Amino acid sequence: MTKNFITIFAAVALVAASAVADAQRMEVRVRGSQGGGMMRMGGMAGSKAFLLAREDVQKDLKLTEDQKTKLETVREESMAAIQARMEEMRGEGGGGGGGRGGDFSKIREEMEKMGKESEKNALAVLTKDQQTRLDQIQLQLAGPRMLR
């Protein structure tokens, strides 16, 4: 019984350590390739699409109710597409926590592509002045990380 417990504990610790190391390596690779942005599944935490979901940013940009509604639709459609793709990958045994293995670089590329598409659709809702202000907000929030 004790031997089984130790074996199980060691396996869990090994899997946890491996997951942490993989996450750190992924963040370093993404930071290096994206100029300091932080990658999260389906997009960057400092992305414009992410910022547009923030109430304080919406207020600063003086978004109309119509724009807010359109942005919410873009967000919902993007999340549905990401969720559908994650379900497909689960069925293929490559991500979303369902199966083991999978080509994580391919998954990351797909999620980046979907994130860029979502951002493009969200930016289409804004006026030119709002897009300019959003660029400024993104720079302000990123701070020195943008200089890397």
Side-chain angles (χ1 to χ4, degrees):
M1 175 86 169
T2 303
K3 186 176 181 179
N4 287 340
F5 176 75
I6 292 172
T7 303
I8 291 170
F9 180 77
V12 169
L14 182 60
V15 169
S18 175
V20 169
D22 285 345
Q24 288 173 343
R25 278 193 300 273
M26 182 176 172
E27 184 170 316
V28 168
R29 279 195 310 268
V30 171
R31 282 180 183 233
S33 67
Q34 298 293 330
M38 295 188 304
M39 176 58 119
R40 299 293 179 253
M41 287 302 280
M44 296 190 321
S47 75
K48 293 174 186 173
F50 179 82
L51 292 175
L52 286 169
R54 291 179 48 163
E55 191 175 325
D56 58 335
V57 173
Q58 292 178 1
K59 187 175 180 180
D60 190 311
L61 295 175
K62 298 177 177 76
L63 296 182
T64 65
E65 288 304 315
D66 184 51
Q67 286 176 309
K68 290 177 186 179
T69 300
K70 288 178 181 176
L71 287 170
E72 183 60 30
T73 300
V74 167
R75 240 185 323 278
E76 288 172 359
E77 290 171 354
S78 296
M79 291 305 295
I82 290 169
Q83 185 175 9
R85 184 60 188 126
M86 293 298 285
E87 289 296 323
E88 288 175 26
M89 287 187 289
R90 260 190 214 109
E92 297 166 3
R100 296 296 297 162
D103 184 352
F104 290 108
S105 63
K106 181 182 176 188
I107 294 168
R108 187 189 76 234
E109 287 173 15
E110 286 187 43
M111 292 299 119
E112 284 178 5
K113 182 179 174 185
M114 294 174 92
K116 287 178 183 178
E117 183 68 22
S118 174
E119 187 167 296
K120 183 181 99 177
N121 293 338
L123 292 175
V125 173
L126 304 180
T127 67
K128 187 73 173 159
D129 289 341
Q130 288 170 325
Q131 289 180 20
T132 300
R133 178 62 186 135
L134 184 59
D135 289 340
Q136 294 168 348
I137 293 168
Q138 186 181 36
L139 285 171
Q140 288 171 332
L141 293 176
R145 287 190 320 251
M146 292 299 285
L147 300 176
R148 289 188 204 173

